[in-house]
Amino acid sequence: MKLVFIQRLPLSYAGIAYISAVLKKHGHSTDVFVEGLHRYLVKDICETKPDIVGFTCVTGDHQWVARRAAEIKKHLNVPIIVGGSHSTYFPDMIEIENIDIIARGEAENIVLELMDRLQTRKEIDDIAGLWIKKGGKIYKNAIAPLTKDLDMLPFPDRDIYGKYAFLEKETEFSVCISRGCPFSCSFCYNASKKEIYFGQRIVRKRSIDNIISEIKFLRQRYPNLKSITFNDDNLGLDSKWFNEFCEKYSRLDSPPSFIASLRADFINEERAKKLKKANCFCITIGLESGNVAIRKNILKKDISNKTFLLAARLIKENGIKLRTSSMCFLPGETIEMGFETLRLNKEMKVNYAWIYPLQPYPGTEIYQYAVENGFLNKEFSFDDIDPLGILESPLERKLKDGKKLKVLHRLFYYGIKIPGFVHLLKLLVYLPNNFIFEFLHRFSLLINYAKFHKINLFHAFVVAIRVFLTERRIRISIKADDVREA
């Protein structure tokens, strides 16, 4: 049996790579097609003669998935399955025409069972974790159990992307150490995940030896490898595990530098020293907002500014770079609060300061808060989400200082990096946003991306162009469909 994946962005997707590895291990075949890297996407997919076509979908991609599924169904009479975070939390997506199956939660073993049954022509209606549309009826099966032992999964099949040159040239690879997060920030789906998997252990870690084995494999398979990004919510949740990890990683022969995420309140002097010894290049901290009241009461992240400043000092004193993730256009945020976020980043001497416009995903606590307090229209839907999540926020027009916050967002990087620029910025926010600010913002994204990933500016530009052209094609396609429907 052959499963063909379709994805929106020209990046390596961990979920697809894991599912592909499991399927290949059990005798099935897979392929992947990336939007924007094919002139005739559907034609190229049809030529591979798949038995089933799969999409991974995050909120904001659902329109694209629906349109591509419709195109494929015109040429291929095969089942179409959709997995990912959107289908997990909003399985009613099964009601969209041309979508036959929804996979909820961790899908490696779910999809394997589906493929095995399709191959042997057995019924698939009762597979846990799947919602299935068949004969005018929808079979809504219970969620499948989480994978308890992550070591039982094979290493991700990155070779599935081998036909695309972008992977072979990469010097940085992502590795998943764990799954799950114990916290319940209001802007995240994690609270919903806890409800879905109630009674199960949400946070699970791979064994350190298993992780080290994957890194050794990557170094052998991809000689260009220079650094690792650990895609985990918090590397330091388990102190014993953390200490052992740092020790074993540091004993690798020329260990690749790595990037890891930690909460500010999990960083102390001992941990910072161990991370440096293990060749940690950069630590990412979720700062969110410089305003304590918003951070605690609205974002549900009760960490003091003093803790952030201490964590930053320890990180920098040990020669590790610091990246922060901040947000703007938050419910009730004023321009003064926005400048608090800028000032805290500046005081922390952040190397890479990223600031994202809030995307209030339906189903999250912050979405409910925004609607109830008039910061978001009740008619707001998934269709209004910015798929990339880096340019616009639906709350902008509802905030008193929305226009000023937009200028602050566009010039945030320069307020941190250029001495004295913050004083000018306090005047610039009274100007309307314009093409100069837009250009400067996009240029700052390029610079930040290039420095953070230790690549040259041209390479970063090529990545940005690939993403831009993909998004442009999708927007044109959606508008054309809307015109035809009208």
Side-chain angles (χ1 to χ4, degrees):
M1 292 287 289
K2 184 172 188 176
L3 170 59
V4 166
F5 298 96
I6 307 175
Q7 65 182 60
R8 182 171 183 146
L9 297 177
L11 305 167
S12 176
Y13 283 29
I16 286 177
Y18 266 110
I19 293 172
S20 177
V22 170
L23 293 181
K24 286 182 177 179
K25 181 180 177 181
H26 290 83
H28 300 288
S29 63
T30 63
D31 201 349
V32 66
F33 288 82
V34 179
E35 180 79 53
L37 299 184
H38 293 264
R39 187 174 181 182
Y40 304 106
L41 179 69
V42 176
K43 176 177 176 291
D44 292 346
I45 291 169
C46 291
E47 288 177 353
T48 67
K49 298 180 180 179
D51 297 294
I52 182 170
V53 172
F55 290 87
T56 182
C57 182
V58 297
T59 301
D61 279 355
H62 53 287
Q63 286 183 303
W64 167 74
V65 169
R67 281 166 169 76
R68 280 291 182 237
E71 290 179 46
I72 290 167
K73 281 290 190 179
K74 291 178 183 177
H75 303 279
L76 285 174
N77 184 27
V78 298
I80 291 181
I81 180 172
V82 180
S85 58
H86 189 75
S87 62
T88 295
Y89 301 113
F90 305 101
D92 287 343
M93 191 180 186
I94 188 68
E95 296 175 4
I96 295 175
E97 188 179 3
N98 301 308
I99 293 177
D100 305 297
I101 306 169
I102 287 293
R104 303 185 68 204
E106 296 176 6
E108 292 94 349
N109 294 320
I110 298 172
V111 175
L112 174 61
E113 184 173 358
L114 172 66
M115 295 287 283
D116 286 344
R117 291 203 193 184
L118 288 173
Q119 187 172 42
T120 56
R121 300 184 183 277
K122 293 181 180 179
E123 291 295 330
I124 62 172
D125 306 344
D126 62 343
I127 298 176
L130 297 183
W131 283 25
I132 298 165
K133 186 163 55 186
K134 181 180 175 183
K137 183 178 179 180
I138 296 176
Y139 297 86
K140 301 179 179 180
N141 297 302
I143 199 82
L146 291 167
T147 303
K148 293 181 180 179
D149 185 359
L150 300 182
D151 285 7
M152 296 300 293
L153 296 172
F155 299 152
D157 174 31
R158 296 174 177 87
D159 285 346
I160 192 175
Y161 293 97
K163 64 185 177 185
Y164 300 118
F166 73 84
L167 183 66
E168 289 294 336
K169 296 178 181 178
E170 288 296 328
T171 59
E172 178 187 306
F173 286 84
S174 297
V175 173
C176 296
I177 282 181
S178 64
R179 293 185 181 182
C181 174
F183 303 103
S184 298
C185 299
S186 67
F187 51 88
C188 179
Y189 280 132
N190 201 49
S192 298
K193 184 174 184 177
K194 290 178 181 178
E195 292 179 11
I196 292 173
Y197 289 107
F198 181 76
Q200 297 189 50
R201 183 162 57 93
I202 298 293
V203 180
R204 294 140 293 140
K205 283 192 178 291
R206 295 167 59 187
S207 71
I208 295 160
D209 288 343
N210 185 253
I211 296 164
I212 297 296
S213 294
E214 181 178 357
I215 293 169
K216 289 179 177 178
F217 168 78
L218 285 173
R219 295 178 77 172
Q220 183 178 26
R221 173 65 182 83
Y222 302 101
N224 291 332
L225 184 147
K226 293 181 181 178
S227 61
I228 299 289
T229 296
F230 291 121
N231 286 340
D232 301 84
D233 295 298
N234 197 325
L235 187 73
L237 283 174
D238 183 329
S239 295
K240 182 180 178 182
W241 186 97
F242 175 87
N243 293 336
E244 185 183 346
F245 168 79
C246 289
E247 181 59 32
K248 287 190 174 181
Y249 193 93
S250 66
R251 293 204 303 263
L252 277 169
D253 181 24
S254 299
S257 63
F258 68 87
I259 300 165
S261 296
L262 279 87
R263 274 175 60 109
D265 49 358
F266 278 72
I267 298 171
N268 56 35
E269 188 166 4
E270 180 186 5
R271 287 186 167 190
K273 289 184 182 300
K274 288 183 176 180
L275 285 165
K276 178 60 179 178
K277 181 182 176 183
N279 204 23
C280 178
F281 157 70
C282 180
I283 291 176
T284 297
I285 292 177
L287 177 62
E288 320 315 350
S289 173
N291 182 270
V292 176
I294 281 187
R295 200 166 57 232
K296 179 180 178 180
N297 301 324
I298 296 179
L299 301 179
K300 302 301 171 69
K301 200 162 189 176
D302 191 8
I303 303 176
S304 69
N305 284 359
K306 182 179 178 180
T307 300
F308 280 112
L309 289 167
L310 174 61
R313 180 174 65 80
L314 293 173
I315 290 168
K316 301 304 288 285
E317 284 180 353
N318 282 278
I320 302 173
K321 301 288 187 181
L322 175 59
R323 176 188 187 269
T324 52
S325 175
S326 302
M327 305 171 77
C328 60
F329 303 109
L330 299 166
E333 186 178 23
T334 63
I335 189 63
E336 289 79 14
M337 294 173 179
F339 273 106
E340 284 184 65
T341 303
L342 189 151
R343 282 195 297 271
L344 184 55
N345 274 279
K346 200 172 181 68
E347 287 177 41
M348 292 169 66
K349 300 180 181 178
V350 174
N351 299 98
Y352 317 108
W354 291 84
I355 183 164
Y356 301 93
L358 173 68
Q359 304 302 319
Y361 294 109
T364 60
E365 185 178 343
I366 202 166
Y367 165 84
Q368 193 65 31
Y369 178 90
V371 170
E372 291 175 354
N373 289 275
F375 297 110
L376 198 63
N377 293 326
K378 293 182 179 179
E379 295 77 23
F380 177 82
S381 71
F382 301 122
D383 297 344
D384 302 311
I385 291 288
D386 174 8
L388 293 179
I390 59 175
L391 295 177
E392 308 295 341
S393 172
L395 271 71
E396 178 191 336
R397 294 183 181 180
K398 291 287 186 176
L399 294 172
K400 179 188 70 172
D401 291 338
K403 291 181 179 179
K404 295 177 182 177
L405 286 166
K406 189 163 192 173
V407 174
L408 175 63
H409 171 254
R410 277 10 185 199
L411 302 178
F412 192 85
Y413 172 86
Y414 305 99
I416 293 172
K417 292 296 182 181
I418 301 177
F421 186 82
V422 66
H423 302 296
L424 176 61
L425 186 51
K426 287 181 179 180
L427 299 176
L428 293 176
V429 295
Y430 286 92
L431 297 177
N433 188 45
N434 54 68
F435 74 94
I436 297 175
F437 295 165
E438 289 294 328
F439 171 79
L440 289 172
H441 175 240
R442 284 162 173 75
F443 186 66
S444 71
L445 292 176
L446 276 180
I447 295 172
N448 240 343
Y449 183 86
K451 289 184 176 179
F452 179 67
H453 293 286
K454 296 193 288 188
I455 59 176
N456 60 52
L457 201 57
F458 177 76
H459 187 175
F461 179 73
V462 170
V463 173
I465 287 295
R466 282 202 304 253
V467 173
F468 169 77
L469 292 177
T470 298
E471 288 300 309
R472 185 171 179 273
R473 280 185 64 185
I474 291 169
R475 286 197 300 271
I476 291 173
S477 175
I478 289 174
K479 286 181 180 179
D481 286 349
D482 290 342
V483 169
R484 283 193 293 268
E485 290 172 4

